[in-house]
Amino acid sequence: MIAIDYQSRTPIYVQLVDEIEKCIIKGQLKPDDQMPSIRELANELGINPNTVKKSYAELENKKIIKSVSTKGTFITTKIEEIVQNKIETSIQVIQREVEELKMLGLGFEDIKERIK
Amino acid sequence: MIAIDYQSRTPIYVQLVDEIEKCIIKGQLKPDDQMPSIRELANELGINPNTVKKSYAELENKKIIKSVSTKGTFITTKIEEIVQNKIETSIQVIQREVEELKMLGLGFEDIKERIK
Amino acid sequence: MIAIDYQSRTPIYVQLVDEIEKCIIKGQLKPDDQMPSIRELANELGINPNTVKKSYAELENKKIIKSVSTKGTFITTKIEEIVQNKIETSIQVIQREVEELKMLGLGFEDIKERIK
Amino acid sequence: MIAIDYQSRTPIYVQLVDEIEKCIIKGQLKPDDQMPSIRELANELGINPNTVKKSYAELENKKIIKSVSTKGTFITTKIEEIVQNKIETSIQVIQREVEELKMLGLGFEDIKERIK
DNA sequence: GTGGTCTAGACCACA
DNA sequence: GTGGTCTAGACCACG
């Protein structure tokens, strides 16, 4: 369910944040679900608990999860925002690439075809 | 002609490589043209010659330029090859993003509209 | 295990690359083995970490090792490939020299004898 | 008759020395022949006169040529020594490579075959 | 002047 | 602790 690329230049903790967000988007993690504990997830992925902790902190910052002491960590109900953010950043990325491709002489139709 | 973002997380030498490739794509640098000397470019950009050297080494690895000791550094690659590479990587990026957007329920038409 | 000639005209970092390749050929370093850390090796050899880094970068370019940030550097290549390369370049060198010797009037038997 | 590789790591003036020695060995330049003037040779090869001068100095050091002021530069009668040197260095190179190949498990016969 | 190498030392993010 | 980046400055051979 969660794939980490240890060779990648993007930090593991960022990848983990992204992957967890994806799980929520996909519906594999639903609002009020309990997240796996830091140690548990760290063991499962074979990474350092500190790294998982950092990811959880990041997610809590973004109000995506909420840690309740002695109880655990839970998903909050923010799916729509995540989706919105995701869409916007994706659109931006595509926009930028499309513009660069246009500078290289490719028309919108060319791009469209090569993608399909 | 060459813009470096000194605050960016992507290393200066990588940005420089990208910028030089762009110059070649734009036709501002043509095959057999002499590149600015390491020191010259370093001065111009306000960065260390070693950093420029690293970029040049990277470009030489990619067979885009050729450094000749005591002579200078010269463009070797034909524009077409770089453009091809650039297009392919861009298409890949777009492809990936489009797929993710589709997973979020957006159709191709929605994406198309938001880009235009 | 690793011998550097600090007086030699061939750069230290090139010598280091060669020596490491030799270690792999000899089987002293096997696939998936962890290389000594940059600082460690630099200390051991009494050279600057940057120089070791340059050698590691070169080896990574040749797909012989793989650096993983915060983890370390690891051997990736199979011995056989390196050996093949080594043999081919050696044969080429010998070939060239033999031909030059033949131009000087030496027969293959003469050469053979002087080598033994 | 004289081939210079501008991409090579070995300095041009060394290459030039080697090439001239080869010419003598081949008999294209004979004892007491007059060498081309520095300027002439520099023009012909498209290299800097200083470089040719350095090569000539090197050759004069090795007693292979002799410059006579206002007269020109002449080949001296040392062919045998040049040949001897050449043979010895070539043999040494081959010797070293053969030993390395043996370390890789190749027998003398294997090497012999691959060369023929 | 050019590119090439090397050192010393600093700072960073990551784990 | 690891690798990664960058600077400042030095020296070299070459042309």
Side-chain angles (χ1 to χ4, degrees), chain C residues 11-13 39 46-48 50-51 54 70-71:
Chain C
I12 293 177
Y13 82 95
R39 289 163 173 84
I47 61 181
N48 192 285
N50 286 334
T51 307
K54 200 169 183 179
T70 79
K71 295 278 185 177

Side-chain angles (χ1 to χ4, degrees), chain A residues 1-114:
Chain A
M1 249 159 92
I2 287 180
I4 300 295
D5 176 4
Y6 298 92
Q7 316 287 349
S8 166
R9 296 179 81 99
T10 64
I12 293 177
Y13 84 96
V14 174
Q15 291 184 50
L16 186 48
V17 167
D18 289 347
E19 289 294 307
I20 290 171
E21 289 188 355
K22 267 192 207 163
C23 286
I24 297 175
I25 289 172
K26 286 185 200 161
Q28 290 164 348
L29 289 170
K30 300 199 187 73
D32 296 325
D33 274 6
Q34 181 167 7
M35 296 284 294
S37 81
I38 288 178
R39 280 189 218 156
E40 200 180 330
L41 188 51
N43 276 336
E44 194 180 312
L45 298 176
I47 62 182
N48 194 303
N50 285 333
T51 309
V52 179
K53 197 173 178 182
K54 202 165 185 178
S55 299
Y56 276 25
E58 187 95 355
L59 286 165
E60 196 161 3
N61 249 351
K62 291 171 127 186
K63 317 273 186 198
I64 290 172
I65 65 177
K66 176 80 188 166
S67 130
V68 184
S69 65
T70 78
K71 297 279 186 171
T73 307
F74 302 88
I75 310 282
T76 58
T77 51
K78 292 282 187 182
I79 302 181
E80 295 76 19
E81 285 184 19
I82 301 176
V83 171
Q84 276 312 315
N85 276 333
K86 177 70 186 150
I87 289 177
E88 264 163 43
T89 56
S90 279
I91 292 289
Q92 274 175 21
V93 169
I94 295 175
Q95 192 107 29
R96 213 181 48 222
E97 297 293 334
V98 166
E99 258 166 42
E100 293 206 336
L101 286 179
K102 282 192 175 165
M103 269 176 40
L104 298 182
L106 265 73
F108 197 83
E109 293 307 315
D110 302 325
I111 299 170
K112 198 174 149 186
E113 249 178 45
R114 295 198 54 159

